[in-house]
Amino acid sequence: MIVVENKIEVRAGYADAVLERFKTPKTVHTFPGFVRMDVLHAINADGNEEVRVCTTWENEEAFEGWASSDAFRRAHARRKEEAASDKEGAEHNPIIGNKMTIYRVAASHFPAAKTSIM
């Protein structure tokens, strides 16, 4: 298994607009090898907001299938168009930057199964 993390740094007060994009499942959820998505939100040491979109995949090939798909290109092209049409211009874009990292899952721990004494 792998986890792909996309860390999006957002100017303080603007994360809700980014988080809104992830409230409902999108095409990625239908791709073979997709396991789950977690969307995390925090304030970093600089006072900016961070949105971390973590997707878990059965293997890197499954993720690459999604990343090279037409559905992926369409989803990300819409975001670029939205940013380009921002009336306030690029200098006021709420997204400061983003970084993608692929992690190999080295270990996972789950709660022990509860057993009944009855």
Side-chain angles (χ1 to χ4, degrees):
M1 288 240 215
I2 64 164
V3 173
V4 179
E5 175 194 64
N6 186 8
K7 181 179 85 169
I8 306 165
E9 187 173 3
V10 181
R11 295 183 199 288
Y14 289 91
D16 286 343
V18 176
L19 292 166
E20 185 66 31
R21 296 177 183 169
F22 298 99
K23 285 196 174 190
T24 58
K26 305 288 190 272
T27 309
V28 66
H29 298 81
T30 66
F31 266 73
F34 175 85
V35 176
R36 69 184 278 172
M37 176 185 285
D38 295 295
V39 181
L40 313 173
H41 175 238
I43 307 294
N44 67 20
D46 296 330
N48 294 315
E49 296 185 74
E50 286 183 0
V51 175
R52 293 182 186 234
V53 181
C54 302
T55 53
T56 302
W57 298 86
E58 290 176 1
N59 52 49
E60 196 162 347
E61 292 76 24
F63 169 71
E64 292 299 332
W66 157 246
S68 64
S69 72
D70 288 339
F72 176 91
R73 282 190 285 283
R74 281 191 303 270
H76 292 85
R78 280 195 303 271
R79 290 189 193 121
K80 286 180 185 174
E81 289 169 8
E82 290 168 4
S85 68
D86 182 359
K87 293 177 185 170
E88 297 180 31
E91 66 274 5
H92 298 299
N93 185 349
I95 295 178
I96 297 169
N98 69 328
K99 177 185 176 189
M100 185 184 76
T101 306
I102 298 175
Y103 300 93
R104 178 183 60 86
V105 177
S108 292
H109 301 278
F110 299 94
K114 294 182 180 182
T115 58
S116 175
I117 301 179
M118 293 182 188

